[in-house]
Amino acid sequence: MKDIVGIILAAGEGTRMKSAHPKVLHKVGGKPMLEYMLELLRRLEINRCIVVVGHKAEKVKEILKKSSAGKVKTVRQPKLLGSADAVWQAKDSFSNFKGSVLVVYGDTPLISEQSLKKLVRFHKMNQVSCTILTAILKNPTGFGRVLRGEDNRIVRIVEEQDADTYEKAIGEINVGAYCFRAKELFSVLEQIKPDNVKKEYYLTDAIGALSKKRAKIGSVYVGAQEEAFGINSRHDLSRASTVINKRNIERLASGGVTVMDPATTFIYGDIEAGRDTIIYPHTVIEGRVKIGKGCQIGPFARLRSGTVLEDDVQLGNFVEIVRSRVGSGSKIKHHSYIGDTTIGKAVNVGCGTITANYDGKNKNPIFIGDGAFIGVGTILIAPVKIGKKAITGAGSVVTKNKNVPAGATVAGVPARILKKRAR
Ligand code: UD1
Ligand code: CA
């Protein structure tokens, strides 16, 4: 979308988190909360986007560089004077821009793509100066309340600290996503004064100022109440992670995956899973993980980022896998750690097998060929290759670079070849 640019506010300190780290970098559902907004704007094809940084700006910039959402520009808010002042920092980049600006906060990771799309669509279709995203909550405590006048028109937003008893009773709240006409936004920001309890320049006062000028203000509702949820404390962090987990589980279930016990299953990250896969209780899946069709996972399994399971893989209890690929039909049923390993098809990995992938400095790879049989309690010291259909005896320690030829049997500590011929 060329006629719309984005501003993400991420300068705030987040005092209520009681943390040495900037608030927007705290993880929700396995990734920094700021990532959610970056990804949303990317999905809306808003390619020009500015992140306003301030508190611990260098740390935030570092994470932005690594972000999978691509390149973004940052501007620094020198003093944290409030959300209006934060938006003002993007003025030089956008004030001559003729289109609209979508302003969002870095601490509202639950807003859905559909709601933001609805907001942008409404703003484009109707001749309004600003459109805001609102929600009606049973408990609106802590949020800015939306005040409406005659004809239901939005008059202003009042923050919790500045609200009187009547205003506090209003259930409609400001979620914290706005579409403004760029020119009108920057002209109205100039008039905002910090005359409120917190002595901050409030972005929400831009709504009141526009309304006073008889400018039209539109609004759309979020799809679900939970989207409104802003992260201000550690309690909020865990509640939001629960929502993300629930969404991931529902998405997998809709695609034909059985999650036996959603209450004890944690799925955080960008997970794909094929039909007829069953995930047993107490399983944790995090990061980027791809699971094929017909797999059985858990109970008590942990799949970390970079795991790829082909079809019909069986993983049992206390199996941890990271940065590894497991070929179709392979089984790792009990008590194993598999890291930086490529496992072929129809491999049996015995109980208690450990890959020693880290030598204290580097992580090294391990390869296990198709049809191999890894005996119980085998330790594989990387880098090493186990050939196709090779066998390791129970308790063997296969030392680094002592590759096992295809079809050979090895055993002992260190493992030595017992039989060379193929099975
Ligand atoms: C804000 C809204 C409130 C809304 C709520 C939704 C204002 C004044 N109020 O309140 O109406 O219901 O979000 O969650 O905007 N920030 C900066 N620089 C600053 C101050 C804040 O970048 O100087 C950023 C913060 O990093 C944060 C966002 O602006 O991402 C909102 O600030 P916060 O202090 O969390 O506002 P709330 O009190 O939650
Ligand atoms: Ca907030």
Side-chain angles (χ1 to χ4, degrees):
M1 277 193 256
K2 283 208 173 111
D3 50 350
I4 183 157
V5 293
I7 300 177
I8 305 179
L9 304 190
E13 190 177 346
T15 19
R16 287 168 280 179
M17 297 298 285
K18 301 202 168 90
S19 172
H21 311 291
K23 177 162 81 170
V24 289
L25 298 191
H26 282 270
K27 286 186 176 175
V28 171
K31 53 187 171 190
M33 65 176 100
L34 182 56
E35 284 273 341
Y36 289 87
M37 264 318 151
L38 290 167
E39 280 170 20
L40 274 191
L41 295 201
R42 188 103 334 183
R43 271 191 251 139
L44 261 66
E45 291 173 6
I46 297 176
N47 299 322
R48 280 179 71 197
C49 172
I50 286 185
V51 180
V52 183
V53 294
H55 180 68
K56 304 243 161 122
E58 293 312 315
K59 276 193 172 176
V60 179
K61 281 164 116 177
E62 223 172 86
I63 293 295
L64 286 172
K65 265 189 218 150
K66 289 188 209 152
S67 162
S68 54
K71 265 193 195 158
V72 285
K73 207 179 144 190
T74 55
V75 291
R76 205 182 185 117
Q77 186 185 13
K79 277 191 186 163
L80 306 181
L81 301 177
S83 46
D85 179 70
V87 174
W88 183 249
Q89 307 308 317
K91 177 177 170 275
D92 291 344
S93 314
F94 291 152
S95 64
N96 289 324
F97 180 63
K98 293 201 170 60
S100 300
V101 190
L102 179 67
V103 182
V104 290
Y105 299 154
D107 67 350
T108 50
L110 299 183
I111 295 179
S112 70
E113 185 179 342
Q114 291 86 328
S115 293
L116 275 196
K117 274 191 175 152
K118 206 161 79 169
L119 179 80
V120 171
R121 208 179 305 130
F122 183 98
H123 190 74
K124 282 187 172 173
M125 309 267 289
N126 297 276
Q127 295 298 313
V128 289
S129 299
C130 171
T131 309
I132 64 171
L133 191 60
T134 77
I136 296 174
L137 302 185
K138 275 194 195 124
N139 179 9
T141 311
F143 290 94
R145 311 295 207 281
V146 178
L147 268 57
R148 291 180 185 262
E150 334 139 10
D151 311 336
N152 213 26
R153 285 163 72 135
I154 293 174
V155 178
R156 65 188 176 98
I157 295 172
V158 61
E159 293 304 306
E160 172 88 20
Q161 290 89 341
D162 306 301
D164 62 29
T165 321
Y166 293 107
E167 290 162 345
K168 277 187 183 153
I170 295 171
E172 187 178 12
I173 62 102
N174 170 34
V175 173
Y178 319 72
C179 232
F180 290 97
R181 284 187 193 139
K183 289 222 151 138
E184 287 181 57
L185 168 66
F186 290 106
S187 105
V188 90
L189 281 181
E190 253 173 322
Q191 300 157 20
I192 289 176
K193 301 209 164 51
D195 46 8
N196 50 60
V197 174
K198 281 171 102 181
K199 302 270 175 281
E200 279 186 12
Y201 293 85
Y202 284 160
L203 176 60
T204 42
D205 283 349
I207 308 299
L210 284 168
S211 160
K212 253 193 190 155
K213 290 183 171 178
R214 309 297 297 162
K216 276 192 193 156
I217 294 154
S219 70
V220 298
Y221 291 121
V222 282
Q225 287 196 1
E226 66 190 26
E227 293 181 36
F229 204 70
I231 312 289
N232 297 309
S233 69
R234 303 276 178 167
H235 306 286
D236 296 339
L237 214 51
S238 27
R239 278 170 63 193
S241 284
T242 305
V243 173
I244 298 285
N245 188 37
K246 189 189 80 182
R247 285 184 187 171
N248 284 335
I249 289 174
E250 279 168 5
R251 182 175 51 81
L252 292 188
S254 309
V257 173
T258 300
V259 177
M260 298 270 277
D261 183 17
T264 63
T265 305
F266 298 93
I267 299 181
Y268 294 145
D270 303 315
I271 322 291
E272 284 173 46
R275 288 182 177 197
D276 296 316
T277 280
I278 303 176
I279 300 172
Y280 288 90
H282 297 282
T283 292
V284 178
I285 305 179
E286 52 200 326
R288 280 180 187 277
V289 171
K290 213 173 158 191
I291 301 169
K293 293 185 205 132
C295 294
Q296 291 180 29
I297 297 162
F300 296 98
R302 180 178 181 208
L303 305 189
R304 294 166 54 201
S305 208
T307 297
V308 177
L309 307 181
E310 292 177 5
D311 297 342
D312 304 310
V313 167
Q314 292 185 21
L315 306 180
N317 44 282
F318 308 111
V319 171
E320 174 182 345
I321 305 193
V322 64
R323 297 180 304 273
S324 295
R325 183 178 190 97
V326 183
S328 56
S330 290
K331 296 175 185 172
I332 313 169
K333 301 280 280 189
H334 338 263
H335 299 266
S336 272
Y337 168 68
I338 305 293
D340 301 293
T341 300
T342 306
I343 298 179
K345 300 184 195 316
V347 170
N348 189 83
V349 177
C351 170
T353 295
I354 303 291
T355 56
N357 58 327
Y358 183 52
D359 60 13
K361 272 193 197 141
N362 298 308
K363 285 172 183 146
N364 300 306
I366 293 174
F367 295 89
I368 304 177
D370 295 349
F373 184 92
I374 308 299
V376 296
T378 296
I379 294 178
L380 302 169
I381 301 176
V384 77
K385 285 184 185 165
I386 309 293
K388 285 184 182 174
K389 294 195 173 173
I391 298 174
T392 68
S396 37
V397 176
V398 184
T399 45
K400 67 179 175 187
N401 295 317
K402 294 280 186 228
N403 296 343
V404 178
T409 300
V410 297
V413 182
R416 288 179 218 283
I417 296 180
L418 301 182
K419 264 193 230 164
K420 274 195 172 158
R421 67 194 153 77
R423 274 193 278 162

